[in-house]
Amino acid sequence: MSNSHAEPRRAYDEFSLVLDPDVYEPLPDDWLIGITDVVSSTAAIRSGRYEDVNYAGASIIAALGNAWGSFDFPFVFRGDGAAFALPANGIMAATSALRDVAGFAKAELHLDLRVGLVTVGEIRATGRDVRIARYAASESATYAMFAGGGLKWAEQQIKNGRFLVKPGRYAMRPDLTGLSCDWAPFPSQRGEILSLLVEPRDHTRPEVFAALARRVLAVFDAGPRRSHPLSGRTAMAREKQVSAKRWSKVASSSDFRKFDDGLRLTLDCAPEQIDSVEAMLVAARARGEIDFGLHRQSHALMTCLVPSGRPDSHLHFLDGMGGGYAKAAEMMEEGALEEVRQRAL
């Protein structure tokens, strides 16, 4: 399958539509899936190194876009790492970019960045899949959404030491042109900033998860601006004033909602909304349908931005300032371990 036909051509401008498993299209077997992950990121965040962790996590997107010559490839930023998909002829660009960002993270940020590369075919042989849909957050910002359980599986395998890209002897400093991580935090306007991760346990029944995800979104969509964590007011960057018009474009181009083998949300919510959704998710976890983690904090953070596939436009990554997705992931892991302990009793 050629590169031009590998990705979905249509982009959906309504987020609820990308919860429908039928809108996702499979990537070709020979496509590459890359994963990066900061080792011991939770400990690093606890020690106040949140910005370094985020910079290391986002660096592969900038490095690969510059090495590949285009940012028009599927990727997702996860706070302490990222995942991407690239056609088979991108193996040299992908391998060198992964090696270079791992070397950069070690030498300049003093962080261990685990990096790996696996083909879609190898993932598919395990019964998982990698399917893609495109979500248009705004006219100038389109994000890839991933489904099928393949990215989650690949991430776990790489954490277990498989498919690793080993550092090269002559790693170069990656070209991070276009990557910026210099925005100020934004306080909650409605009570709390929520970082939420919800993942299906069974990727063979996507319709069950989609129904639950729609119920979750319905609670948050009832809030002003669908619980978007960036207010419509003019914002102040650390170094310059941003016009109201420019800020509106920035806010609309942010990834506060995404689907990456599960829901990944950064929202500004009333506490009772969070309580309602948490009760819903606790019940679904008890039924064996999902795992979830959430973290409440006072501020959202525009962590990093990278160029998009369009001229003079950027994609803006959001997280919670108090540890965000990393803390939510920690809660999800602790919840899973507790459930195992309870079953053993």
Side-chain angles (χ1 to χ4, degrees):
M1 181 178 287
S2 69
N3 184 19
S4 61
H5 293 91
E7 288 188 65
R9 295 177 178 178
R10 178 180 176 184
Y12 297 89
D13 59 7
E14 177 57 54
F15 185 77
S16 63
L17 294 177
V18 299
L19 300 178
D20 181 354
D22 292 336
V23 307
Y24 286 80
E25 299 179 26
L27 287 179
D29 278 351
D30 63 352
W31 269 51
L32 306 165
I33 300 298
I35 304 283
T36 75
D37 169 63
V38 174
V39 178
S40 302
S41 59
T42 303
I45 289 169
R46 282 194 185 123
S47 67
R49 305 197 59 209
Y50 181 85
E51 291 187 8
D52 287 343
V53 168
N54 266 258
Y55 198 79
S59 61
I60 185 58
I61 299 169
L64 184 57
N66 289 320
W68 181 241
S70 167
F71 283 83
D72 193 17
F73 59 91
F75 61 79
V76 62
F77 176 57
R78 295 163 162 177
D80 62 348
F84 64 83
L86 210 62
N89 63 344
I91 189 166
M92 294 300 293
T95 302
S96 63
L98 287 165
R99 284 177 174 158
D100 291 348
V101 296
F104 164 77
K106 186 79 168 176
E108 299 193 29
L109 301 176
H110 309 292
L111 291 169
D112 288 326
L113 187 67
R114 191 186 286 117
V115 298
L117 202 60
V118 59
T119 67
V120 170
E122 288 172 301
I123 294 171
R124 202 162 273 148
T126 71
R128 283 82 170 178
D129 204 354
V130 183
R131 301 194 303 274
I132 300 287
R134 296 172 67 231
Y135 168 57
S138 70
E139 290 184 4
S140 60
T142 299
Y143 291 90
M145 306 282 127
F146 291 86
L151 259 60
K152 180 71 176 178
W153 179 85
E155 179 187 22
Q156 195 57 57
Q157 295 303 307
I158 286 162
K159 284 184 176 180
N160 291 340
R162 296 186 67 199
F163 308 116
L164 294 176
V165 173
K166 296 180 180 178
R169 184 178 299 179
Y170 303 108
M172 298 176 62
R173 192 185 192 284
D175 180 0
L176 302 180
T177 301
L179 174 63
S180 175
C181 301
D182 60 356
W183 292 87
F186 304 96
S188 168
Q189 304 293 315
R190 304 197 58 235
E192 292 179 300
I193 296 294
L194 173 69
S195 299
L196 179 64
L197 301 176
V198 189
E199 296 180 352
R201 286 194 187 167
D202 185 358
H203 287 278
T204 65
R205 300 175 64 205
E207 67 285 348
V208 174
F209 186 81
L212 175 66
R214 288 190 187 97
R215 289 172 58 207
V216 168
L217 279 182
V219 174
F220 295 128
D221 282 355
R225 302 183 71 243
R226 296 187 167 185
S227 299
H228 199 305
L230 304 184
S231 77
R233 294 198 292 267
T234 303
M236 176 71 79
R238 287 183 182 171
E239 298 177 358
K240 61 183 178 180
Q241 186 75 23
V242 179
S243 70
K245 183 177 180 181
R246 167 64 178 155
W247 178 246
S248 177
K249 185 176 181 180
V250 167
S252 66
S253 299
S254 63
D255 69 338
F256 77 106
R257 299 183 297 185
K258 48 193 172 184
F259 195 94
D260 166 24
D261 277 342
L263 275 183
R264 192 175 288 261
L265 308 174
T266 300
L267 304 169
D268 188 1
C269 314
E272 54 269 24
Q273 285 178 294
I274 303 175
D275 294 342
S276 172
V277 166
E278 185 170 15
M280 191 187 302
L281 296 176
V282 167
R285 184 172 62 190
R287 294 192 299 268
E289 295 174 1
I290 63 157
D291 290 305
F292 81 94
L294 59 82
H295 184 65
R296 307 177 192 225
Q297 57 241 297
S298 60
H299 290 67
L301 196 66
M302 180 82 75
T303 58
C304 299
L305 60 88
V306 298
S308 77
R310 300 189 180 194
D312 302 320
S313 62
H314 289 79
L315 303 176
H316 302 268
F317 303 142
L318 283 177
D319 202 350
M321 194 178 105
Y325 288 133
K327 287 287 185 69
E330 185 180 15
M331 176 191 165
M332 182 158 61
E333 290 170 9
E334 290 173 351
L337 289 172
E338 178 60 28
E339 190 165 323
V340 170
R341 283 195 292 267
Q342 291 297 324
R343 288 176 180 173
L345 293 178

